[in-house]
Amino acid sequence: MIVKEELEKLGLTVSSVELGVVETPNNVSEQQLIDLKDNLFKSGLIVLDDKKSILIEKIKAVIIEMIHYEDDLPKVNYSNYISDKLAYDYTYLSNIFSEVKGITIQQYIIQHKIEKVKELLLYAELNLTQIAYKMHYSSVGHLSAQFKKITGLTPSFYKKLREKRNNNLEDL
């Protein structure tokens, strides 16, 4: 909404606004682009105008959607899923992502999977076996090892720590 409002303030018609992409039938002048960047920056947003940055943001958005907002993770390899969603060769995407972000796409996926596991542990609706299955881990041991590698804690210790913290907050 902020992006659309700022474009309209500059006298530009908006065809569509999606995450990372704005379409307008108008030609955008250099001054309008500068003004847009300045106004969006004041709202905490930045304009990405180089192709690599835009592609990186699209890769991140696909991964975040896949892990945090889909009911089930895809049955295909993540590399195929990402490649199909963005219509680019996975090796190309992987090389650009690693070059710009300093980590691999796989490491980024693991970080987000562990964040989702933390969330699922806090809801306490699923046990660790169910979480491992839901998040496509080959075993509870594999999930636990990856969780500990990323967080420094075992999943069960993390859950107990969070429960203890929540109980202490309730006592206040």
Side-chain angles (χ1 to χ4, degrees):
M1 286 178 20
I2 293 170
V3 174
K4 186 175 180 182
E5 287 174 16
E6 291 300 331
L7 286 164
E8 289 172 351
K9 284 181 194 175
L10 294 171
L12 297 169
T13 306
V14 179
S15 300
S16 78
V17 177
E18 295 179 31
L19 182 62
V21 180
V22 173
E23 290 183 19
T24 177
N26 310 90
N27 288 328
V28 180
S29 71
E30 282 296 316
Q31 188 57 51
Q32 286 174 316
L33 188 56
I34 290 168
D35 292 344
L36 178 64
K37 286 181 180 181
D38 289 343
N39 294 342
L40 290 176
F41 186 75
K42 291 174 188 171
S43 299
L45 301 172
I46 59 171
V47 174
L48 301 175
D49 50 8
D50 73 276
K51 291 184 188 292
K52 279 186 182 178
S53 295
I54 293 168
L55 191 53
I56 297 303
E57 290 305 311
K58 286 182 178 182
I59 293 167
K60 288 166 51 177
V62 166
I63 292 168
I64 290 167
E65 178 184 325
M66 172 181 74
I67 293 172
H68 295 283
Y69 298 106
E70 298 284 330
D71 287 335
D72 291 315
L73 292 176
K75 302 285 187 239
V76 298
N77 290 339
Y78 298 140
S79 57
N80 292 342
Y81 181 83
I82 294 166
S83 182
D84 290 347
K85 279 282 201 178
L86 297 176
Y88 280 95
D89 176 66
Y90 182 77
T91 303
Y92 174 73
L93 295 173
S94 179
N95 289 338
I96 286 180
F97 192 90
S98 296
E99 174 189 322
V100 173
K101 297 300 289 175
I103 62 171
T104 66
I105 289 176
Q106 188 61 33
Q107 289 168 319
Y108 189 79
I109 289 170
I110 290 168
Q111 289 173 353
H112 278 275
K113 283 178 73 173
I114 296 303
E115 286 303 311
K116 181 68 174 184
V117 169
K118 287 167 142 181
E119 184 182 308
L120 293 170
L121 285 169
L122 294 179
Y123 288 141
E125 293 173 4
L126 302 173
N127 64 37
L128 204 52
T129 303
Q130 293 167 317
I131 292 172
Y133 178 78
K134 179 177 179 61
M135 298 305 295
H136 291 234
Y137 281 95
S138 57
S139 67
V140 173
H142 181 220
L143 165 60
S144 296
Q146 210 167 65
F147 191 94
K148 185 164 185 163
K149 183 178 179 184
I150 299 292
T151 67
L153 306 169
T154 65
S156 47
F157 186 77
Y158 174 82
K159 187 173 181 172
K160 287 176 189 170
L161 196 64
R162 294 298 295 198
E163 287 171 352
K164 184 177 180 181
R165 183 173 171 256
N166 288 341
N167 288 339
N168 288 342
L169 288 175
E170 289 173 3
D171 292 342
L172 295 176

